[in-house]
Amino acid sequence: MSIHVSLGDRSYPVHFQSLRTLPERMAERGLRPNDSSRCLLVSDENVAAHYRSPVTTALENAGWTVRPHIVAPGEASKSYEPLRAIYDEALRWGIDRGTPVVALGGGVVGDLAGFAAATLLRGLPLVQCPTSLLAQVDASVGGKTAVNHPTGKNLIGAFYQPHLVCADPDTLDTLPMREWTSGSAEMVKHALIGSPELLSFLEDHLVGVLARKDREAFTTAIERAVRIKAEVVAEDERESGRRAILNFGHTFAHAIEKVAGYGAFTHGEAVAVGMRAALHLSHRRHPEALNRDRLDAVVQAIPVEGDPGALNPGALFEAMQADKKNRGDTVRFVLLRSLGDAYLTGDVSEHELREAWRFACSEPHASRP
Ligand code: GLY
């Protein structure tokens, strides 16, 4: 099963296939061992423990000389020193412009290795092999790469599309359950902003998907979610307009992550809480067109560890204001006109924000299956 991301001469496939097929999928995109035959494999310690060996073996059997570069797991690796370590290793080893960078891991590895690929020798071929749900349904598709800066997240980066994405559904089996439910928030987000059909499908299979029990259902849901992401990216690669709808729930989420301290809530948990606030704001404006309680029931089913209601609303609104500097001086929200029809607005009062926040914290999310 494959999905095509349509971006002219930067188009690429997203394959849902075993990582053992990676060398063939790379060869189809013109990535074959050349004179040097070097291939840089970036991963983190957790993912490498499971998949470094089979991926390296597959690549070596196809004639590649693989140099693994393993980083510590977690957000701290998305920063300048780990990036420089990749530059140092790659340049000392002797890469050339045909050397592929294979990013094997979740969102952190994809962003870090992706930015290294974008900048080394003015651009090396990038192969995204996402192993987390969040990376498979969202981060690996669309070419956003970045590292963090002490003043904020993702501030040093580039839009740099991969040559291909190879998402192996089997890698999700080893994902910690909290990461799984966190990733499911982005899947629900894609349904809310782009697909009433996917939302109905998720409603019908919610328990089996959130518990990672119904393989057929979650595989279908992932593929459909990626299709929506691919469509949005194809329309607006560099986020000059429509792509911003992928930030549904994210204005609150970024503030939640910042105020709670990064890592207290997973990104997906913060997005789930943020989506409840965004649903409330949307319903306030479009009460006839939007069944808030129906949609909220799906979002509320996503488990969130910790109590967002314990966060100080004033600090959250301040964090949103501070963040606006990075986005042209307006705090922007993505709202829904109706299910599957999202738009961007800067016109939300503090009174509405407070009300939306109260709604988002009004009832606890489901507990972890
Ligand atoms: N994750 C949001 C985007 O790719 O634009």
Side-chain angles (χ1 to χ4, degrees), residues 46-63:
N46 292 342
V47 173
H50 294 287
Y51 307 112
R52 167 182 162 171
S53 167
V55 171
T56 304
T57 303
L59 290 167
E60 286 177 349
N61 287 344

Side-chain angles (χ1 to χ4, degrees), residues 169-364:
D170 287 350
T171 60
L172 300 175
D173 293 343
T174 48
L175 195 65
M177 212 50 207
R178 193 175 180 195
E179 292 302 315
W180 172 266
T181 50
S182 166
S184 62
E186 298 286 2
M187 206 151 63
V188 169
K189 178 198 78 181
H190 287 173
L192 291 170
I193 62 168
S195 173
E197 296 76 23
L198 177 56
L199 202 274
S200 301
F201 182 84
L202 285 170
E203 280 175 315
D204 290 345
H205 299 88
L206 202 53
V207 175
V209 168
L210 288 173
R212 197 170 50 190
K213 290 249 156 65
D214 187 342
R215 197 171 187 84
E216 201 182 318
F218 72 66
T219 308
T220 302
I222 292 170
E223 287 166 8
R224 290 194 191 178
V226 170
R227 219 173 270 287
I228 293 160
K229 171 95 191 223
E231 277 164 21
V232 173
V233 168
E235 261 183 61
D236 177 24
E237 182 184 3
R238 298 175 75 88
E239 201 171 297
S240 45
R242 183 164 158 75
R243 183 167 178 167
I245 67 168
L246 294 168
N247 290 327
F248 183 66
H250 281 60
T251 309
F252 274 94
H254 290 147
I256 292 167
E257 288 183 275
K258 193 167 181 178
V259 171
Y262 290 105
F265 291 90
T266 64
H267 178 65
E269 286 170 344
V271 169
V273 178
M275 287 195 293
R276 297 192 66 201
L279 281 174
H280 181 83
L281 290 172
S282 305
H283 180 253
R284 210 173 184 278
R285 274 133 207 258
H286 312 285
E288 307 301 330
L290 205 69
N291 184 341
R292 181 192 67 181
D293 293 341
R294 172 191 164 202
L295 306 183
D296 185 51
V298 180
V299 179
Q300 224 186 323
I302 300 166
V304 170
E305 290 189 12
D307 177 16
L311 300 174
N312 178 340
L316 285 172
F317 306 146
E318 221 170 88
M320 287 179 200
Q321 292 294 332
D323 205 33
K324 79 181 178 187
K325 282 205 300 291
N326 303 324
R327 291 152 220 258
D329 261 9
T330 353
V331 186
R332 297 190 307 169
F333 292 85
V334 181
L335 302 185
L336 300 184
R337 218 173 264 112
S338 60
L339 174 56
D341 180 7
Y343 67 100
L344 206 60
T345 179
D347 176 24
V348 177
S349 70
E350 179 158 343
H351 171 73
E352 285 177 294
L353 285 186
R354 285 189 183 277
E355 207 183 73
W357 182 244
R358 268 197 300 279
F359 176 77
C361 302
S362 57
E363 283 171 58

